[in-house]
Amino acid sequence: RERERERDMKVLRMPTVSKVKSGSEESTKVVSPVVGRRAALLGAATVTQIKLPSSSSSLSQPHSAAVALGIPGVVGSQIDRGIKAPVLTKPQTVLVGAGTGTIRGPAWLEGTWDVSPELVDVTFPLGKQFLRKNSPGVTKASIAEAADIGRSTPQDPVRQQMRWTVNENGEVVPDLLFNITSSMNALLGANANAKVRMQNSKRLSVTFATSRRNATLEDEVGLGQENDPRKLEIFLNYSNYKYENEGEYQSFRTDRLIRQVSQAKNQDMVGDYQISEVYQLVAEGQVNYLRFISAFVTPVDPAYFDIGDKAVAVYTFKGRMMKTKTETETEASTEI
């Protein structure tokens, strides 16, 4: 059974985290996935090291690692207030009246942005033993907006784009169809050919393709037919947002609880995860970006009776968003 579990965990492409003690300081190491997913779990090749305060006693304290990431404006007191802290307990869904409807962002978020969200920390609040093959983030595309968890790292960032648009009510809202498409194609490769369609305000359908594990080199460069079509159904079960000023910085946070149903030829999988994103305006056209993805088990998982609604993994990303000009914006500025 242990050998089967090790084989299953080979699909994990995720920098792992270990602790090293030197003198009075502890450090967290984020391990590169370049030598393979199994090797990543076993602790190969360090790509970056994040210094943690000596008071940090456990990797189950994700706040400590977030404080140490060095993002301007992030200090311990702000972490404690919660705007820059991960969610460790699944919120109640909109079915029972929790959360809000449309996320409404600040005017300074409108537009298209270049960003490379880099995985800088992974924590297991309940212990790594609760991480399972069907945990969101373990297999590719089990989290649509981070389709390959360990692909974008500080040493090898992957550029993506995000867009916030103005809806018919004059509200600045995220363009999820554009954002998910950009992220999936960047992380999985252009051959993924991801396409996103909105069924309604709380449901998205995603189609894409992945290379088969036994694909030949000819197939990899697109000359063969060794691609498997896949489909995701994404359900928004909770959303919320809030503003906060941090001295001269304006901050904005969004929270979305997602249930994702992944459909493939030989397997179907259901996963729950929450995406928490913090945007901090630092200059015109420049925004600091912090993202937490908290992975949960679903009630149909036997482990749910032991875990409940507690997060089994938290993935932390950071990046700098730089505003770009779309063709429409360029034309408008030229006319003016």
Side-chain angles (χ1 to χ4, degrees):
R1 188 178 184 88
E2 186 63 27
R3 286 196 298 270
E4 289 178 354
R5 184 182 176 188
E6 288 185 5
R7 185 186 66 243
D8 290 340
M9 295 304 288
K10 288 180 183 179
V11 298
L12 180 61
R13 178 172 184 163
M14 177 178 72
T16 191
V17 176
S18 61
K19 285 172 59 179
V20 176
K21 190 167 184 179
S22 176
S24 61
E25 289 188 330
E26 284 184 345
S27 62
T28 299
K29 289 185 177 181
V30 181
V31 175
S32 170
V34 296
V35 293
R37 301 182 185 188
R38 182 179 180 185
L41 283 175
L42 298 177
T46 299
V47 297
T48 188
Q49 184 166 303
I50 304 168
K51 294 294 182 182
L52 296 181
S54 58
S55 60
S56 298
S57 60
S58 170
L59 285 177
S60 65
Q61 298 176 344
H63 296 189
S64 300
V67 171
L69 299 182
I71 300 176
V74 179
V75 298
S77 62
Q78 293 166 353
I79 295 289
D80 294 338
R81 284 206 307 273
I83 193 169
K84 288 190 174 76
V87 172
L88 300 181
T89 302
K90 187 189 300 183
Q92 292 183 318
T93 69
V94 292
L95 298 177
V96 293
T100 185
T102 303
I103 289 177
R104 301 170 179 87
W108 47 262
L109 264 180
E110 181 188 353
T112 303
W113 303 80
D114 285 329
V115 62
S116 301
E118 302 165 2
L119 182 69
V120 293
D121 192 38
V122 181
T123 59
F124 309 102
L126 303 177
K128 192 184 292 186
Q129 69 271 22
F130 288 105
L131 192 69
R132 310 165 71 80
K133 181 182 178 181
N134 60 355
S135 298
V138 172
T139 56
K140 282 188 176 182
S142 54
I143 298 175
E145 294 176 57
D148 193 341
I149 282 289
R151 177 66 182 85
S152 184
T153 62
Q155 281 197 348
D156 186 20
V158 178
R159 188 179 71 87
Q160 305 161 43
Q161 286 194 321
M162 293 184 185
R163 180 184 294 165
W164 288 71
T165 61
V166 178
N167 65 13
E168 62 275 9
N169 298 321
E171 301 163 334
V172 178
V173 297
D175 186 345
L176 292 180
L177 277 67
F178 177 88
N179 297 346
I180 294 174
T181 300
S182 174
S183 177
M184 292 191 73
N185 285 335
L187 296 175
L188 297 179
N191 289 338
N193 194 27
K195 297 179 180 178
V196 186
R197 185 162 53 95
M198 180 173 287
Q199 303 287 3
N200 56 53
S201 61
K202 292 182 173 58
R203 180 180 176 182
L204 300 176
S205 296
V206 182
T207 57
F208 65 105
T210 56
S211 298
R212 295 179 185 172
R213 293 183 181 180
N214 60 351
T216 65
L217 178 60
E218 184 180 67
D219 300 321
E220 291 291 340
V221 297
L223 301 178
Q225 301 296 322
E226 295 298 323
N227 288 330
D228 286 325
R230 299 185 60 181
K231 183 178 181 181
L232 310 176
E233 296 292 334
I234 299 173
F235 300 89
L236 177 63
N237 284 335
Y238 169 92
S239 64
N240 213 337
Y241 64 95
K242 63 179 177 180
Y243 297 84
E244 185 166 317
N245 290 328
E246 301 172 0
E248 61 180 305
Y249 298 110
Q250 300 177 52
S251 292
F252 174 68
R253 172 170 176 144
T254 68
D255 289 281
R256 292 175 290 130
L257 177 64
I258 305 295
R259 170 158 291 181
Q260 178 176 308
V261 181
S262 304
Q263 301 173 355
K265 182 177 180 181
N266 297 319
Q267 64 177 0
D268 290 343
M269 188 165 60
V270 179
D272 287 349
Y273 54 88
Q274 175 146 334
I275 301 178
S276 303
E277 297 169 293
V278 181
Y279 306 84
Q280 184 181 66
L281 180 65
V282 293
E284 184 177 356
Q286 296 184 36
V287 172
N288 281 339
Y289 178 67
L290 179 65
R291 177 205 284 167
F292 300 106
I293 301 181
S294 304
F296 305 96
V297 298
T298 62
V300 298
D301 192 312
Y304 183 81
F305 295 98
D306 297 318
I307 299 172
D309 290 330
K310 302 298 183 182
V312 296
V314 177
Y315 313 103
T316 302
F317 301 80
K318 73 171 183 177
R320 173 67 66 91
M321 296 169 57
M322 304 294 292
K323 197 167 189 179
T324 63
K325 285 191 174 183
T326 63
E327 292 181 7
T328 302
E329 291 170 333
T330 303
E331 292 172 359
S333 62
T334 302
E335 292 175 359
I336 292 174

